[in-house]
Amino acid sequence: MSGMRLLDRHVALFSGSLRTLLRRESDRRRYADSPYGWLFQPYMGDESVALACHVTPTSSSPLISLAAVVLSQQQVCTSRAFVTTIGPAEHSGSVALRRHQLLYQTEDAVLPSSDNLSDLVEFIGNRPIVGWQLDQRISALNALLREKLDFALPNAQVDVEKLHQRQLRRLHPHVEMPSTFAQTLLCWQVPSVPIQSLLGQATASALLYMRLQRILAEAA
């Protein structure tokens, strides 16, 4: 278990640029005495949050559909999930918004208000975030958070695509690397999960992360 936590810290350290790490530290100091201060404190538990996110740009605020699901070292808790589409008021009831919800299988649609975004960051808490191509997937979400709450997600982050690449190069340096999410799941024999929905994608990311953790622990 200590080896698994060491991996978490190692990957989290290199999952962002130096600029990102410095900004997180600046935000932590700035919000130390605010109601959000606890979000910037180091997480001491054994849970993470797998996050899947898709964005459609619009002329104003983008449409953002996301799913977040809690995982521990033993299981993915799909009963503890946050699934929603965030869109500006002018898209309320629009064809574009409905299509986004149908495409990514989200039921709730909320405005990009500070209250609604607070619900999301409080669900995630200060737990580490894992996800496929995480930096690019949540960049629009972080921009929206900075606009409404004045900070981006401060959490330690693990991009499972980068973790997959690192592990495959270590084990099979001459094998052609799978490039898609679906191919990667097959590569590591992750249990079949429907990935059409965002909740399915978040769950599959969590299972992939757990699988790679176990492989590394067995090799240690």
Side-chain angles (χ1 to χ4, degrees), residues 47-63:
E47 292 183 337
S48 301
V49 174
L51 186 64
C53 187
H54 283 277
V55 179
T56 298
T58 70
S59 57
S60 55
S61 183
L63 288 172

Side-chain angles (χ1 to χ4, degrees), residues 113-125:
S113 67
S114 56
D115 286 343
N116 289 330
L117 292 171
S118 291
D119 289 342
L120 171 62
V121 298
E122 288 176 10
F123 175 86
I124 296 172

Side-chain angles (χ1 to χ4, degrees), residues 97-157:
L97 177 58
R98 186 58 183 158
R99 184 178 182 278
H100 217 260
Q101 290 178 276
L102 289 172
L103 186 61
Y104 301 119
Q105 298 182 28
T106 64
E107 295 182 1
D108 295 332
V110 300
L111 297 175
S113 67
S114 56
D115 286 343
N116 289 330
L117 292 171
S118 291
D119 289 342
L120 171 62
V121 298
E122 288 176 10
F123 175 86
I124 296 172
N126 61 345
R127 292 174 292 206
I129 298 173
V130 303
W132 178 261
Q133 297 178 343
L134 197 56
D135 288 344
Q136 66 188 69
R137 298 283 185 178
I138 65 173
S139 59
L141 175 61
N142 273 331
L144 185 59
L145 288 170
R146 283 192 290 270
E147 177 186 338
K148 301 296 184 179
L149 300 181
D150 202 29
F151 62 86
L153 290 170
N155 311 64
Q157 296 176 11

Side-chain angles (χ1 to χ4, degrees), residues 73-85:
Q73 293 182 344
Q74 292 77 33
Q75 63 180 342
V76 182
C77 307
T78 53
S79 60
R80 298 169 62 188
F82 189 107
V83 183
T84 192
T85 295

Side-chain angles (χ1 to χ4, degrees), residues 2-3 15 21 41 72 76 79 101 131 136 139 156 164 168 179 211:
S2 60
S15 64
L21 297 175
Q41 297 303 311
S72 66
V76 182
S79 60
Q101 290 178 276
Q136 66 188 69
S139 59
H164 146 70
L168 197 61
S179 58
R211 175 67 172 155

